[in-house]
Amino acid sequence: KMEYNMGWLVQAEAPPGALFSRFKRVMLSGEANPADVAFYFVHWLTDLAGAEPCPQEGMEKFVLMFPHKVLGAFSSSFSIVQNLSTKSETEVFEGYLQWRWKSTEGRLL
């Protein structure tokens, strides 16, 4: 189990070790290949929509109720996390924070 909380990354709610250490261990141990990691993120999106009692309401959550900037921040972070295979938890977290700051041009979500 990867024990990864996407919200912790996007909202900067946890230190790098707590956020990424288990995920990195799974990636480096060979328990998860790149396709598994990509599937994990797709599953995360569908799981978020599936929290609603019927499929249409799940899609409405994304389209009508979920702030598009936040959803964009979540989906844009997927490629950053894959850097765990070659960088430390701290390097990935710092890289994410720097990328987010530059992409917001100083404006908060």
Side-chain angles (χ1 to χ4, degrees):
K1 186 173 179 183
M2 293 187 197
E3 297 178 20
Y4 175 67
N5 185 321
M6 183 75 67
W8 286 2
L9 173 64
V10 173
Q11 298 174 57
E13 293 180 340
L19 181 61
F20 293 128
S21 62
R22 178 68 179 139
F23 200 126
K24 183 172 180 75
R25 255 194 317 273
V26 169
M27 289 176 76
L28 295 180
S29 71
E31 294 177 57
N33 62 45
D36 294 331
V37 174
F39 177 77
Y40 176 82
F41 289 122
V42 171
H43 176 267
W44 180 86
L45 281 173
T46 59
D47 196 38
L48 183 63
E52 299 298 326
C54 73
Q56 183 177 353
E57 290 175 4
M59 292 312 300
E60 286 176 354
K61 177 190 278 185
F62 285 139
V63 175
L64 302 174
M65 297 183 289
F66 208 88
H68 292 170
K69 286 183 179 182
V70 175
L71 184 59
F74 276 121
S75 61
S76 297
S77 71
F78 297 169
S79 62
I80 302 289
V81 175
Q82 292 183 342
N83 290 323
L84 281 171
S85 62
T86 58
K87 296 181 178 179
S88 73
E89 292 93 328
T90 301
E91 289 172 321
V92 170
F93 191 61
E94 287 176 348
Y96 173 76
L97 293 175
Q98 290 170 354
W99 169 78
R100 285 296 302 141
W101 184 254
K102 288 175 187 173
S103 69
T104 62
E105 297 174 347
R107 294 183 308 264
L108 300 178
L109 293 178

